[in-house]
Amino acid sequence: MARIIVVTSGKGGVGKTTSSAAIATGLAQRGKKTVVIDFDIGLRNLDLIMGCERRVVYDFVNVIQGDATLNQALIKDKRTDNLYILPASQTRDKDALTKEGVAKVLEDLNEMGYDFVVCDSPAGIESGALMALYFADEAIITTNPEVSSVRDSDRILGILASKSRRAENGEDPIREHLLVTRYNPGRVTRGDMLSVEDVVEILRIPLVGVIPESPSVLRASNQGEPVILDTESDAGVAYSDTIDRLLGEEKPFRFLTEEKKGLLKRLFGG
């Protein structure tokens, strides 16, 4: 059975699509047949971060409405084996997604032998977001270490517990993971940002990853490459650690403390 993972948050701009791209790529790198689906109908940008925007011919809504087959709409990633992208429509309304249509796509992907289906959810609690989380087996709650972002994530946890297919059917609850993005230990020390411990204490769900604030994230997005492919960057390394934890490995958390500057750096900056 394919594991359906939704990457979600209550607030926009916290790095969901960046995280969806990195997580899907990391799973595929480890030999897992993976598809990442953009649920942000009308505002698609997953294809930009994955660097395949010029290859989009058919999209998620085309498949649901019967205008194209799933095979026609899936885009094979050029850089990573086992990785496929199902883009969103830029021209349709969010209500174009139906439970029956999404369920059929997910069933077909399962029959096609996918190990993981990563659902890139839009922000908030509108129809596209609710549809993305409804079918999930697992949820990666993505939050910045700021009070407003954490508060909105707590709201999403309530929705996961009550509005998912698992909740409706009385099945085991969605397995929840916490991903803290744009973490800056220096700002935590100065009191400008919540610590990881603060966020975990508020949300009370297991921590799966801490992604440090890094210019490599923006650079990778602009180049149309998931940041996990940048193995020299702290963010890329942190996402790779996150994949290992998702797959059940024990990994220590890195980038939680401020780097100590040597004498020359303190004297001359940098």
Side-chain angles (χ1 to χ4, degrees):
M1 285 289 289
R3 282 168 65 179
I4 301 172
I5 301 177
V6 62
V7 181
T8 184
S9 76
K11 193 171 183 288
V14 300
K16 281 186 304 301
T17 300
T18 294
S19 297
S20 296
I23 290 163
T25 301
L27 289 168
Q29 284 177 327
R30 284 152 179 79
K32 308 296 184 183
K33 188 176 181 183
T34 304
V35 58
V36 56
I37 304 176
D38 191 348
F39 274 78
D40 202 353
I41 307 301
L43 290 172
R44 87 174 184 224
N45 56 16
L46 176 66
D47 52 306
L48 292 171
I49 288 180
M50 298 296 293
C52 65
E53 70 277 8
R54 289 185 295 275
R55 297 166 60 202
V56 176
V57 178
Y58 295 111
D59 57 51
F60 194 9
V61 173
N62 290 139
V63 176
I64 287 175
Q65 296 186 340
D67 302 322
T69 66
L70 190 50
N71 270 324
Q72 285 178 295
L74 286 170
I75 299 171
K76 189 178 189 308
D77 190 78
K78 286 183 175 179
R79 293 170 296 252
T80 308
D81 289 337
N82 303 309
L83 180 58
Y84 296 80
I85 302 99
L86 183 56
S89 170
Q90 278 187 310
T91 58
R92 306 297 180 94
D93 187 84
K94 296 181 189 299
D95 294 331
L97 296 182
T98 63
K99 279 185 182 178
E100 296 77 16
V102 174
K104 177 68 165 61
V105 169
L106 294 175
E107 286 165 14
D108 289 349
L109 289 169
N110 186 53
E111 289 175 7
M112 290 163 71
Y114 282 89
D115 299 304
F116 285 91
V117 178
V118 178
C119 303
D120 179 26
S121 170
I125 55 172
E126 46 79 31
S127 59
L130 293 175
M131 198 68 68
L133 66 81
Y134 179 78
F135 294 95
D137 299 312
E138 303 179 42
I140 296 176
I141 313 300
T142 310
T143 185
N144 293 159
E146 301 162 356
V147 171
S148 61
S149 181
V150 174
R151 181 188 61 203
D152 288 347
S153 293
D154 205 18
R155 188 179 183 194
I156 290 294
L157 288 172
I159 292 170
L160 285 167
S162 59
K163 291 196 172 184
S164 67
R165 179 173 60 176
R166 285 175 169 269
E168 278 185 8
N169 297 338
E171 299 172 10
D172 290 339
I174 291 174
R175 190 176 169 205
E176 298 159 343
H177 311 276
L178 174 61
L179 180 66
V180 179
T181 54
R182 295 180 182 163
Y183 194 70
N184 185 321
R187 292 181 63 193
V188 173
T189 302
R190 294 192 298 273
D192 299 335
M193 184 176 274
L194 296 174
S195 69
V196 165
E197 293 78 13
D198 292 333
V199 178
V200 171
E201 186 174 345
I202 294 167
L203 295 179
R204 301 283 180 173
I205 59 174
L207 184 67
V208 74
V210 180
I211 313 301
E213 198 168 48
S214 170
S216 62
V217 174
L218 179 59
R219 184 168 60 247
S221 294
N222 287 338
Q223 292 172 348
E225 289 192 356
V227 70
I228 198 170
L229 296 176
D230 184 356
T231 56
E232 301 297 314
S233 73
D234 289 351
V237 169
Y239 273 117
S240 184
D241 287 351
T242 299
I243 300 303
D244 291 336
R245 294 188 198 98
L246 267 179
L247 295 175
E249 289 187 42
E250 294 281 339
K251 297 281 283 194
F253 287 93
R254 301 190 246 192
F255 316 114
L256 300 185
T257 55
E258 195 170 7
E259 182 184 355
K260 300 293 184 188
K261 290 186 178 180
L263 178 60
L264 289 177
K265 279 193 175 182
R266 291 202 303 271
L267 287 175
F268 298 106

